[in-house]
Amino acid sequence: MPGSNPVPLESLLLPLKPESLQFTQYEPTKLTRRIPRKRTAAVAICLFVGRLGDLYVLLSTRADNMRSYASDTALPGGKYEEGDKNEEWTARREAYEEIGLPQDPEQVRCLCLLDPFLTGNGLIVTPVVLLIISTSINPILNPSEVQHLFSMPLPSFLYSHPSKIPGWHFGISTRVAAAASALAPGGLVIPPPPPIPYAEQGEAGVVGGGEGRYYGYRDIEWGPGTVRMHRFLTGREGTGVKPVYGLTAAILIRAAVVGYDQKPEFAMTAPTQKTMVERIEYEVRHGSGPLRRAIEAEGMSEDWVDPKAKL
């Protein structure tokens, strides 16, 4: 479980492009007000280094019998449980339960935490960036939660056209699958997905149509303003894999921006979009959902009173 990492990362990895270690310098935004632990969650951004020095992220297809977001493309993760010491602990536990990722910090290093995200059902989600060091890890999928596992280059989430993504043969499923297996650390075999029905996401706001509409977005009304929902194709849609969409896409865009210290070539936010902290504050002060109810039930409401309201 989480602990100290005395050996420098650079001595343990395949050749890694220097910009890829920006994660270790990152300090996330922290909420200054209390949140009930039962309304918190964490996701694991599980990275590994390809032979050309680029970072790849593991993504899964959720089981088709899940109560929520069935068959969606997702990151391993879930809600806080009793016994979890912190967000890293939650993310590691969920990654172990879903895809069999070892919890040993010497095999899987924690690089950093990212800024918290608000979900539609009132959870505060913290992304935890993990880097796979061991070359002898094989995923063990939990069939009750995960159908299959695949990878995408992390810089995929900085571009609106796949031809700009370094070293990625987009849109040819067999080549993408072969590249994923070849670029993974020794023995990390990523099984191909089975064919399942695929329903395309809505096309409102789609851009980049010259290459199969790889990237798209739609702006929706949420809380105090408009929020941009991004969507990326995976190159595996022909075999039934859904695009990376919504919260997962937003988290991976943020991870790519931090990891490569580079802005995406598309606008990350809608013109009137508030910051995540502002959206969380609005949900607590003006919403009526589970986050506000939990804060009231645990006597934390005073933490969230707007100072201006006392004047």
Side-chain angles (χ1 to χ4, degrees):
M1 294 302 291
S4 61
N5 301 128
V7 182
L9 283 173
E10 294 87 340
S11 66
L12 298 171
L13 299 171
L14 293 167
L16 180 65
K17 292 182 178 178
E19 63 268 25
S20 300
L21 280 177
Q22 296 295 321
F23 285 117
T24 59
Q25 308 299 320
Y26 188 68
E27 290 291 336
T29 299
K30 295 182 179 180
L31 296 176
T32 58
R33 299 175 175 90
R34 291 178 296 167
I35 293 288
R37 295 300 297 270
K38 65 181 181 181
R39 298 312 305 167
T40 63
V43 295
I45 302 174
C46 304
L47 304 176
F48 64 86
V49 183
R51 291 181 182 175
L52 299 181
D54 287 303
L55 291 171
Y56 286 72
V57 60
L58 294 180
L59 293 163
S60 64
T61 298
R62 290 168 60 86
D64 57 12
N65 60 351
M66 299 289 285
R67 288 182 297 177
S68 59
Y69 308 108
S71 301
D72 277 5
T73 297
L75 295 163
K79 294 176 66 175
Y80 161 83
E81 292 184 2
E82 290 294 334
D84 291 347
K85 295 183 178 180
N86 51 36
E87 294 90 346
E88 181 187 343
W89 202 280
T90 300
R92 287 184 181 275
R93 175 181 52 75
E94 289 286 343
Y96 173 74
E97 292 174 0
E98 292 184 25
I99 64 173
L101 192 72
Q103 295 175 292
D104 180 2
E106 294 305 319
Q107 296 187 68
V108 181
R109 290 281 183 93
C110 180
L111 299 185
C112 71
L113 307 186
L114 298 183
D115 308 307
F117 284 78
L118 174 67
T119 72
N121 61 351
L123 284 174
I124 307 299
V125 177
T126 299
V128 179
V129 182
L130 303 174
L131 182 63
I132 298 172
I133 302 297
S134 173
T135 59
S136 60
I137 293 174
N138 283 306
I140 302 175
L141 306 188
N142 180 348
S144 66
E145 297 190 50
V146 176
Q147 291 190 64
H148 51 266
L149 192 67
F150 63 98
S151 70
M152 289 179 68
L154 185 60
S156 303
F157 303 100
L158 295 172
Y159 298 97
S160 59
H161 293 77
S163 61
K164 298 181 180 181
I165 303 169
W168 197 39
H169 304 290
F170 175 83
I172 306 176
S173 295
T174 54
R175 290 173 69 184
V176 172
S181 294
L183 290 172
L188 181 58
V189 178
I190 302 171
I196 58 175
Y198 168 64
E200 177 61 87
Q201 301 284 349
E203 296 298 327
V206 168
V207 298
E211 296 181 82
R213 292 178 174 172
Y214 164 72
Y215 168 73
Y217 72 90
R218 61 167 59 189
D219 291 342
I220 64 171
E221 293 301 316
W222 183 357
T226 306
V227 175
R228 180 151 296 178
M229 306 294 282
H230 304 269
R231 187 217 63 182
F232 299 86
L233 299 184
T234 66
R236 292 168 166 243
E237 281 68 23
T239 56
V241 173
K242 290 185 179 182
V244 181
Y245 182 73
L247 177 66
T248 301
I251 289 173
L252 289 172
I253 292 170
R254 185 61 186 156
V257 167
V258 171
Y260 287 91
D261 193 23
Q262 175 183 336
K263 292 182 179 180
E265 61 178 25
F266 48 82
M268 293 177 62
T269 60
T272 62
Q273 186 165 327
K274 303 295 184 181
T275 67
M276 191 62 65
V277 171
E278 290 173 329
R279 290 169 55 199
I280 293 170
E281 290 178 345
Y282 182 92
E283 178 68 20
V284 174
R285 291 172 181 160
H286 305 287
S288 58
L291 178 58
R292 176 169 179 169
R293 293 198 300 269
I295 285 174
E296 291 174 346
E298 297 197 20
M300 299 179 180
S301 298
E302 187 65 23
D303 287 24
W304 292 87
V305 173
D306 187 348
K308 296 179 182 179
K310 296 181 178 182
L311 299 179

